[in-house]
């Protein structure tokens, strides 16, 4: 049930090897199936898949995304760690190189703090997504965006949608900006996606019981100004909106 959950990236040089990355599922809680961040390699040559290998010893949020290195060949794979009963804002970026996956991460600590809470009445906020601007001209610095589900609207709704800079040479994040108006209504984002030209950030919101009508919503933020505009909603109680993706023609 993870927002992103799985990402597949082809080896930079070998067209027959596909790296399959998987995250944890936040809805399972501390007793759920939480194997951390893992990868397997599928070989198209002989139709086999290697056993999953865990990267690092941390729990993972549901976030996983990728973007090209500045060199246009290697690929950055990014997720976010989670710790039981400890707040952490660490992003982990791994480089898939011509020689294979470099499992030594570039760690950036900034933005929204995730915490997997162990109390029976508490809520974990490991649910979320992360996306990168499209980068056809291989710029050194591009925008990234992340969503974090805030539990019952009490965990920093301003930063529950983050806009960040990402350095495609070093794998480092910087300049975190919390989007939103700080209201509980914007504390339950689910997925996000940039427009093709990178000027808009689309965000989907789950239906929720604490910010008014139980409507799933979708809206857009202007990346330059942070201005939010609701595009539409489900118009029906308890009907939510999930993943958003951009098609090859630029249509959401």
């Amino acid at each position: 049930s993870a927002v992103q959950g799985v990402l597949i990236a082809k080896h930079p040089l070998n067209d027959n090897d596909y790296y399959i990355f998987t995250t944890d599922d936040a809805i399972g809680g501390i007793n759920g199936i939480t194997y951390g961040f893992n990868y397997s390699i599928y070989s198209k040559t002989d139709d086999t898949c290697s056993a999953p290998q865990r990267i690092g010893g941390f729990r993972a949020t549901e976030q996983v995304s990728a973007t090209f290195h500045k060199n246009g060949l290697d690929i950055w794979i990014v997720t976010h760690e989670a710790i039981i009963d400890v707040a952490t804002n660490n992003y982990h970026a791994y480089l898939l190189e011509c020689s294979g996956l470099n499992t030594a991460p570039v760690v950036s600590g900034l933005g929204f703090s995730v915490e997997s809470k162990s109390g029976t009445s508490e809520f974990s906020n490991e649910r979320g997504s992360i996306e990168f601007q499209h980068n056809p001209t291989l710029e050194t610095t591009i925008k990234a965006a992340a969503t974090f589900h805030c539990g019952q609207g009490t965990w920093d709704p301003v930063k529950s949608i983050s806009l960040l800079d990402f350095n495609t040479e070093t794998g480092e994040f910087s300049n975190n900006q919390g989007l939103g108006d700080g209201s509980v209504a914007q504390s339950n984002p689910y997925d996000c996606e940039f427009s093709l030209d990178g000027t808009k950030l689309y965000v989907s919101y789950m239906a929720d019981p604490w910010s008014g009508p139980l409507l799933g919503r979708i809206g857009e933020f202007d990346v330059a100004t942070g201005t939010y505009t609701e595009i539409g909603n489900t118009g029906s109680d308890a009907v939510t909106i999930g993943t958003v993706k951009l098609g090859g023609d630029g249509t959401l």
Side-chain angles (χ1 to χ4, degrees), residues 3-82:
V3 178
Q4 292 176 309
V6 179
L7 181 136
I8 302 174
K10 189 162 60 175
H11 185 280
L13 293 181
N14 186 345
D15 284 346
N16 292 313
D17 284 353
Y18 292 79
Y19 284 68
I20 305 168
F21 298 89
T22 60
T23 68
D24 282 331
D25 174 8
I27 204 169
I30 63 167
N31 297 316
I33 301 174
T34 49
Y35 295 138
F37 193 52
N38 288 261
Y39 78 99
S40 300
I41 303 174
Y42 169 73
S43 170
K44 191 169 68 174
T45 304
D46 52 12
D47 193 25
T48 60
C49 191
S50 66
Q53 298 184 56
R54 187 166 183 171
I55 312 170
F58 56 88
R59 274 173 76 96
T61 65
E62 297 182 345
Q63 298 161 297
V64 57
S65 193
T67 189
F68 277 109
H69 186 280
K70 170 71 174 175
N71 62 25
L73 186 64
D74 300 332
I75 302 166
W76 289 108
I77 312 292
V78 177
T79 189
H80 194 292
E81 73 177 16

Side-chain angles (χ1 to χ4, degrees), residues 9 29 39 44 53 62-63 93 96 98 139 183 202 217 252:
Y39 78 99
K44 191 169 68 174
Q53 298 184 56
E62 297 182 345
Q63 298 161 297
L96 180 55
C98 296
E139 301 297 324
S183 70
Y202 302 110
R217 293 164 288 133
L252 190 69

